[in-house]
Structure formats: structure tokens, C-alpha cells
Amino acid sequence: MILRAETPTRLRISDIGGSDPSLELGLQYHDKRVDYELAKFKHSRWFSEKYGQEAFDEKLAQLKAEQTKSLLFKEEGCGYWTYTGLAQKLQRQFGCQFESDIKYPDFQPLPWSLDPLKPYPFQQEIIEKMLHARHCAVEVATGLGKSNCLVHMARRMGLQAVIVAPSASISGQLHVRLTHDLGKRYVGLYGAGRKDLGKLITVATAQSLTRIEPGSPAWKYFSKAPVLFFDESHLTPAATFEKVCFGLMADAPYRFFFSGTQFRNDGLDLLLDGITGPVVYKKTVREGIAEGYLAKLNFTMIRMESHSGFESRDVNEMTREHLYYSPEVNRAAADLANKFVGLLGKKVLILVDELEQFTKLEPLLKHEVGFAHGGAAGSEVLPVAWQKSDPDKLVARFNAGQLPILIGTSAISTGTDVQANGATIYLRGGQSAIEVMQGAIGRSTRL
């Protein structure tokens, strides 16, 4: 079997003597998103009542068939192909020959605007490994300086680059850092109300890039960039991720993906690998702590008894009643926060899922509090005084020691540069390992 990288995203598979069953099996994955749709559909009695049992059975069979998907594609007259990011995986599995038609432009290093933050030895290793691989990913825990690696790589390459972030908060942080280190002359921002075009390096939100129409000036500008950086790549919805990487940025030969957790909860890990390429470096929170780069963490789980007799088959409703809105839970959380601030002089970050949780907590807190959320104009739950929120400013005040308690929703739970908080109180539900590792633990790792 011969693998040929025809483009940065398309890997031609030839000389396989027909469809190889082991190859087909190796490129299949289970889409857990369909599991949810299937479970939901099985209880939709209205469908069979409206369209009949035969239509119900047909739809059920269709959903079951969609659970298993394949990244082995067949093109009439041209044979089989898959995504270029899977080349190393297939080489390892089948021991096949690899060839590439991809052209990589030479580096043209940029000057520093100010003295840069020098990379730690492990960061320098990340930089060298990524630049050598040219299409790859790293899995490095929050607080270990992924953004520092990104800045040094962008400066050293000196080529037109697009740096994609999953949120306006993260893109704003990256833009500030790059502008500080390289200067306004080279760095622009696309998204969050701005549409800078013409800069050598552009920081953009993933969602803003999906809205760019083919053939437009923005499309022509971004699609010719030879370098793609994707920060917190695991956080981006699969459809958005595919649209940016396989659409607008399909021709970028240099492709670098950064995350603290290079895996997904939806079963699309193989697709993620096809986009990001191999993971060339890993460093966990445990390793970061042992090597002195991250704060030593102390975990405490507190068992609470709910005095509510509420029962429901809806897991979300049970979570709301027995966790989010529980008087016992909120009193215990507020008591902890008050003691950390009042007795220990420590800043406290409280992570919540819903706006109403804030209304339960705020009256119980004895110190100044800020509430960082994505906006709640006209909310019937939140008082008018709290409906406006500027997460970046609140985090800046918290980091500066001007705000002892910060309550935040998902607007700040992952990727936001929260520094040196004394305690994180986690009042969120769900079963996402990524959310716990990145959202909760990741907010507490700064020295």
C-alpha cells in the first residue's frame, strides 16, 4: 500500500488490491452524537402515531446505520483516500510507503517588538518537534505555556499565519500577547467585532471564520495563508472544526494544533486525528507539578445530602434540584469561599453552569463578588444590575487581587488566563472529563 499526501488535507491510498477489510475497520469510528439522537427517537411515540410504524422503523434503522462512520472514501476513477493527518497512523499500522506532494515555503523570521518571554527547555522541545513535523498536535496541560510556544513559532516562521481560537476571550488574550511581542504592524484580529485584513498574522475566532463566503476578499486572503495554528482545538464543535480546516484553510501546508486534552467526548477522536495529525508531545498536570512548573493541587470532594424529595427521569432536572439549586450545597460552597477569603486571605473562583446558581450564591457571600458570564440582557432570572458582564475585565481584576471572589460560567471556565487563585469551587454538572480537566483543574494550575 502506498500513501501519497496530495494536499495538506487529502491522502491518496493506492495499490491496496481492492478494499482492504482491515483498512476499512481501522478507519471506522463510532459517532456518540447519534447515540443521543437514537435514544431520544426511541421514546418519540408521536412519530409513529403521525407517520406510522413502518416509517418509524425505517428512521430507526437509518439512525443505527449512522452510528458507525468511516474516514475511508472512494472517488470514482481515482480510488481511495482519507485525511492527511492519518498518514502516520496508517504507516504504523500497515508499514506502508509514504510520499508527499505538499510544498512548504521557507521561514522568514520576524524581529521582536519587545524582549520575549524565553521558552522553558520543554517548551523549546515542543517548538522544535512541531516545526519538524509540520502537521501535528501537542497535548500540554493548562498553565504550561502553549501560547508562548505558539508566539515563538509564529515569529520564527515569519509567514502569513492564521491563529484560530474557540472563543472571543481566548482570541483576545492571544491578540494582546502577539501584539505585545511582535508589534501592531504584524498582528491583526478577526472576530469579536473586528475584521482586520492584510496583517501577516491574524488571530481569529473559529466561528467568525465559518461565516466567510468563498470568493470574498476575506476568503481570498485567509485561504492563501501557508500556516494554520489552532488553539484549544478539542473545544471547537466538530462541524466548525471541519469547515475551517477542510474548507477555508484546506491549502495551508503548515498545520499546528494545541490543546490540554487532545480527545473528544463525542466519539470523533479519529476525525480529530485526521485533522490534527499525530500528537508529537505530551505533558500532564501531574508532570507539570512534579517538575515545578505548575502549582501543587489539593483536591477535596465533599459529599452533600439533599433534603429535597424531588424525583425525575430527566437527569438535567435532577441536577438542577439536587446540585445547582440545593440550599445545602450553596450554603456549604459560600461558607468555604467566605473562609478562604476571610481567614486565609485567598482569592476564590466558583464555577457554575447556570445564571440562577449565582442568585442562590451571591446573598450568602460576605465579600465583594464578580459574575463573569456571556451576557444576559432581559433575563428573568438575573437582576438587572448583574445582566451585563465583561469577563475579561473581571478576570483582570481578579488576577490583580482587586476582586476576592469571582463566579463564572463557561465564559471563563476553559482557556481564560486565571492566575494564582487560592481555591476553585466546582459547582458544575455533566460527565465531561475534558471540562473537569480543562475547566476546573486548568483554572488552578498557575503558580
Side-chain angles (χ1 to χ4, degrees):
M1 183 161 62
I2 298 174
L3 307 175
R4 177 179 289 277
E6 294 181 336
T7 73
T9 58
R10 180 172 287 218
L11 182 72
R12 181 67 59 191
I13 306 173
S14 58
D15 293 345
I16 60 175
S19 181
D20 187 329
S22 60
L23 177 62
E24 287 187 0
L25 191 62
L27 291 175
Q28 285 182 352
Y29 64 94
H30 186 90
D31 191 340
K32 293 180 181 178
R33 298 173 303 176
V34 182
D35 292 350
Y36 172 77
E37 292 297 325
L38 188 60
K40 185 178 177 183
F41 181 74
K42 284 179 178 178
H43 297 287
S44 58
R45 296 178 181 175
W46 64 269
F47 191 94
S48 57
E49 292 172 359
K50 184 174 181 179
Y51 299 106
Q53 188 61 39
E54 186 178 341
F56 179 87
D57 293 340
E58 186 178 325
K59 177 68 174 177
L60 192 65
Q62 178 189 340
L63 284 171
K64 288 181 178 179
E66 290 175 358
Q67 285 179 294
T68 301
K69 291 184 170 65
S70 175
L71 296 184
L72 180 63
F73 309 107
K74 187 173 184 180
E75 192 174 26
E76 281 301 320
C78 297
Y80 293 93
W81 67 275
T82 189
Y83 297 129
T84 305
L86 297 172
Q88 191 176 104
K89 172 185 171 69
L90 295 177
Q91 279 183 281
R92 223 172 26 243
Q93 187 172 350
F94 296 98
C96 43
Q97 180 182 337
F98 175 75
E99 301 168 354
S100 178
D101 296 331
I102 302 172
K103 305 298 182 186
Y104 296 92
D106 294 332
F107 295 174
Q108 301 170 16
L110 300 173
W112 291 108
S113 176
L114 297 169
D115 289 338
L117 186 65
K118 292 182 179 179
Y120 289 122
F122 79 88
Q123 292 174 346
Q124 191 62 48
E125 185 179 352
I126 290 172
I127 293 167
E128 299 303 331
K129 283 190 172 183
M130 295 194 86
L131 291 177
H132 177 73
R134 300 188 289 199
H135 180 177
C136 61
V138 292
E139 187 175 297
V140 182
T142 302
L144 289 174
K146 294 186 292 293
S147 60
N148 196 41
C149 297
L150 190 155
V151 170
H152 278 267
M153 290 171 67
R155 198 278 321 175
R156 184 160 150 189
M157 297 179 83
L159 301 169
Q160 184 188 346
V162 180
I163 300 172
V164 188
S167 68
S169 174
I170 297 175
S171 67
Q173 290 169 189
L174 286 169
H175 179 255
V176 168
R177 171 69 192 279
L178 283 155
T179 302
H180 176 273
D181 286 359
L182 301 178
K184 293 181 181 179
R185 172 186 173 188
Y186 295 111
V187 184
L189 180 64
Y190 194 91
R194 286 180 54 177
K195 291 187 177 182
D196 298 340
L197 292 179
K199 300 286 187 177
L200 187 67
I201 299 170
T202 309
V203 183
T205 58
Q207 195 59 41
S208 67
L209 295 181
T210 64
R211 301 191 189 103
I212 297 176
E213 294 293 332
S216 66
W219 182 281
K220 291 176 182 177
Y221 176 72
F222 286 121
S223 62
K224 69 180 181 181
V227 184
L228 169 65
F229 291 100
F230 217 115
D231 192 35
E232 301 294 1
S233 48
H234 71 287
L235 290 178
T236 307
T240 301
F241 202 34
E242 288 182 82
K243 193 169 183 179
V244 173
C245 297
F246 293 156
L248 178 66
M249 300 300 300
D251 293 329
Y254 292 104
R255 308 170 82 80
F256 305 112
F257 299 85
F258 298 80
S259 179
T261 47
Q262 288 287 7
F263 60 88
R264 301 182 68 95
N265 294 312
D266 51 15
L268 305 189
D269 297 277
L270 186 65
L271 176 61
L272 181 71
D273 292 344
I275 296 173
T276 66
V279 176
V280 296
Y281 189 94
K282 290 186 179 183
K283 190 176 286 292
T284 65
V285 170
R286 186 185 297 273
E287 291 168 335
I289 292 172
E291 295 168 18
Y293 295 113
L294 299 179
K296 187 175 181 180
L297 303 178
N298 177 39
F299 297 93
T300 302
M301 294 188 72
I302 303 174
R303 283 193 180 275
M304 301 294 301
E305 181 179 347
S306 174
H307 295 164
S308 169
F310 176 81
E311 291 186 20
S312 171
R313 291 180 62 182
D314 188 326
V315 174
N316 293 324
E317 289 303 321
M318 290 289 281
T319 302
R320 289 188 178 96
E321 179 68 18
H322 299 290
L323 173 63
Y324 296 165
Y325 309 153
S326 165
E328 293 80 24
V329 169
N330 285 306
R331 276 198 298 269
D335 186 50
L336 270 175
N338 289 330
K339 287 177 178 176
F340 266 108
V341 176
L343 298 180
L344 301 179
K346 301 287 188 182
K347 295 179 295 180
V348 179
L349 175 67
I350 305 177
L351 295 174
V352 300
D353 269 327
E354 298 187 353
L355 299 177
E356 194 165 338
Q357 288 177 267
F358 173 79
T359 66
K360 309 292 185 186
L361 281 165
E362 192 270 337
L364 304 173
L365 297 169
K366 299 177 181 179
H367 306 274
E368 185 183 1
V369 60
F371 185 28
H373 57 83
S379 169
E380 296 180 0
V381 172
L382 212 56
V384 175
W386 295 102
Q387 288 179 11
K388 287 186 178 180
S389 178
D390 188 330
D392 291 339
K393 286 185 178 178
L394 288 168
V395 169
R397 287 190 61 206
F398 184 74
N399 289 342
Q402 300 166 358
L403 189 63
I405 299 175
L406 177 61
I407 299 177
T409 63
S410 58
I412 64 165
S413 65
T414 301
T416 305
D417 190 19
V418 176
Q419 299 171 2
N421 57 308
T424 297
I425 298 176
Y426 190 74
L427 293 179
R428 306 193 71 193
Q431 298 180 336
S432 169
I434 292 174
E435 174 52 42
V436 174
M437 293 167 70
Q438 291 273 80
I441 298 173
R443 300 313 98 211
S444 309
T445 55
R446 304 287 186 186
L447 286 168

